[in-house]
Amino acid sequence: MKRYKICVIKGDGIGPEIIDEAIKVLDRVSAKFGFELELSYQLMGGAAIDVFGVPLPDETLKCALESDAVLFGAIGGAKWDGLERHLRPESGLLKLRKELNAFANLRPAIVFKELVNASTLKPEVLDGVDMLVVRELTGGLYFGQPRAKEADRAYNTMVYSRSEIERIARIAFDAARMRQKRVCLVDKANVLETSELWRDVAQSVKSDYEDVSLEYMYVDNAAMQLVRNPAQFDVILTENLFGDILSDEASQICGSIGLLPSASMGGKVGIYEPIHGSAPDIAGQGVANPIATILSAGMMLRYALGESAAADAIDTAVRKIIAEGYRTKDISLFDAKEICSCAEMGSIIAQQIDAL
Ligand code: NAD
């Protein structure tokens, strides 16, 4: 029987709740499709700070590097916000992404027709929304040096090299080839030199992809176009900060940030994580939506382990239970049929896997 090593990081806030549900579903698909998952639970973020005093302990990094994939919940919370930046939970996640060279963050955003009412946009605008945000994850403002906060002045640096842009651009073009063959580079080339370089590099990569179109859009316009006509987008290629913001916006178009999964890839080991944070405002209440994490586990099976039948089963099970009317609180705003807790939602999806 095939056996895979998974480094599981629950993190903080709702992290443990949503990861527990993803594991419930993984248990079912692994039994059904005949493979074994060896799970190693590790600490990161605030949970690690509380035990080890650092947000990314060596043991966690070692485990991640030695695993076939990392399944991650979320980190962060007010308790640790006052710490020095390099000791804060977010620094642990940034370091993990960097150490694993997870430079490509793929964030699919699809509107399920049954969830049209959970979106705050009009139904007619949502028809056909199916986009992929390809976000650069290990460069730009989040990592650029120098950076500092002084008493009356603070600065960050946005820096990108040609090779950093080229490798993520190729991922976007490859992905577009398997979709509607359209890449939209979102930047701020009217103001930023880094964006000018992004355009140069994207244009030269495009010459290897004659069948894929490339258009450019300023990020301020893209933010507006996403709510005006989201169905116009196929693949959005963008840098770290813009991708962070636009994918949260895309999630609300789909109904809830609790629905959107992601894969952070590039190096030997990828990180599979929902796009949302630790949601301290709802942590411990059992109301978090685990679907983003469950779908992220599906992306892990597909991209890291090559278990595509099991990944398909997760996607199908999620679609079915949504079609049947099961909703967590965040997606039941306008058409509550059956409101489930986080744990109930995980169990219903797991049972659906058996029933497929
Ligand atoms: P957030 O994504 O945690 O929450 C934003 C809003 O969405 C909240 O109202 C929350 O209740 C809701 N929400 C998020 N996930 C949900 C889910 N699965 N089901 C239902 N509702 C959900 O963003 P925030 O409030 O800006 O940040 C909270 C903490 O998370 C901060 O410490 C931040 O630094 C951290 N954060 C971590 C990550 C990560 O771990 N990848 C990403 C973003 C933010």
Side-chain angles (χ1 to χ4, degrees):
M1 190 181 274
K2 276 178 282 179
R3 195 175 166 84
Y4 305 104
K5 283 179 75 172
I6 310 296
C7 173
V8 183
I9 303 174
K10 294 184 175 187
D12 310 314
I14 60 169
E17 303 167 42
I18 53 177
I19 286 287
D20 285 351
E21 300 319 307
I23 299 296
K24 225 183 240 177
V25 172
L26 283 173
D27 281 347
R28 293 298 175 96
V29 282
S30 56
K32 189 175 172 109
F33 291 90
F35 56 90
E36 268 179 47
L37 298 177
E38 184 188 323
L39 307 177
S40 172
Y41 288 89
Q42 299 292 331
L43 297 178
M44 188 171 79
I49 294 168
D50 287 349
V51 177
F52 298 106
V54 289
L56 179 63
D58 291 344
E59 194 185 318
T60 301
L61 180 58
K62 184 168 181 290
C63 172
L65 286 165
E66 289 170 355
S67 295
D68 294 301
V70 176
L71 181 65
F72 165 57
I75 46 88
K79 180 179 174 190
W80 307 282
D81 280 351
L83 295 172
E84 275 181 66
R85 180 146 307 276
H86 72 285
L87 291 175
R88 287 173 53 163
E90 292 77 5
S91 301
L93 177 57
L94 292 183
K95 186 170 175 207
L96 181 69
R97 287 171 175 168
K98 195 78 172 174
E99 293 283 343
L100 296 186
N101 199 22
F103 65 84
N105 186 218
L106 308 188
R107 300 185 156 193
I110 300 166
V111 172
F112 295 117
K113 69 178 187 333
E114 298 84 0
L115 286 182
V116 157
N117 286 336
S119 175
T120 41
L121 296 190
K122 291 178 184 152
E124 53 270 34
V125 180
L126 297 170
D127 198 24
V129 172
D130 178 356
M131 70 184 102
L132 176 70
V133 179
V134 177
R135 169 189 170 196
E136 202 290 326
L137 202 59
T138 52
L141 271 179
Y142 293 10
F143 291 91
Q145 295 292 343
R147 57 187 292 166
K149 177 167 173 282
E150 298 164 356
D152 298 312
R153 208 171 71 105
Y155 48 88
N156 292 91
T157 303
M158 188 187 278
V159 53
Y160 271 111
S161 66
R162 182 171 287 276
S163 61
E164 279 178 308
I165 301 168
E166 185 174 336
R167 63 186 184 176
I168 186 86
R170 288 199 180 277
I171 285 181
F173 277 94
D174 284 339
R177 232 176 209 168
M178 291 183 276
R179 299 170 46 95
Q180 297 168 43
K181 301 185 171 47
R182 292 185 289 116
V183 173
C184 177
L185 172 62
V186 172
D187 61 33
K188 191 69 183 167
N190 49 345
V191 178
L192 300 175
E193 286 77 4
T194 45
S195 290
E196 283 180 48
L197 185 63
W198 272 81
R199 286 196 179 196
D200 293 349
V201 176
Q203 189 59 51
S204 76
V205 169
K206 196 221 163 302
S207 59
D208 292 338
Y209 296 83
E210 290 302 332
D211 52 330
V212 180
S213 71
L214 171 65
E215 74 165 317
Y216 307 111
M217 195 178 282
Y218 297 136
V219 63
D220 39 355
N221 183 26
M224 186 268 282
Q225 293 294 338
L226 268 174
V227 286
R228 193 186 74 85
N229 177 18
Q232 71 183 283
F233 294 103
D234 178 23
V235 173
I236 292 179
L237 164 65
T238 193
E239 62 88 51
N240 202 343
L241 173 67
F242 299 160
D244 197 356
I245 296 168
L246 292 181
S247 50
D248 267 29
E249 189 184 350
S251 75
Q252 187 50 47
I253 293 164
C254 300
S256 168
I257 197 165
L259 292 169
L260 261 63
S262 88
S264 305
M265 307 187 303
K268 197 168 91 36
V269 184
I271 310 168
Y272 298 84
E273 46 179 323
I275 77 155
H276 58 74
S278 58
D281 53 332
I282 57 166
Q285 295 174 23
V287 297
N289 188 344
I291 289 181
T293 314
I294 290 168
L295 292 175
S296 302
M299 290 181 91
M300 176 182 86
L301 296 176
R302 189 181 306 285
Y303 297 125
L305 312 185
E307 296 287 349
S308 51
D312 288 346
I314 291 183
D315 291 350
T316 306
V318 168
R319 279 180 183 269
K320 278 198 142 181
I321 63 93
I322 286 173
E324 282 169 23
Y326 294 102
R327 304 281 185 269
T328 43
K329 197 173 163 198
D330 55 315
I331 48 175
S332 65
L333 299 176
F334 304 109
D335 68 342
K337 286 184 194 163
E338 178 103 27
I339 298 191
C340 313
S341 68
C342 180
E344 284 165 349
M345 183 55 101
S347 300
I348 289 162
I349 294 170
Q351 283 156 19
Q352 185 61 54
I353 303 264
D354 285 343
L356 288 177

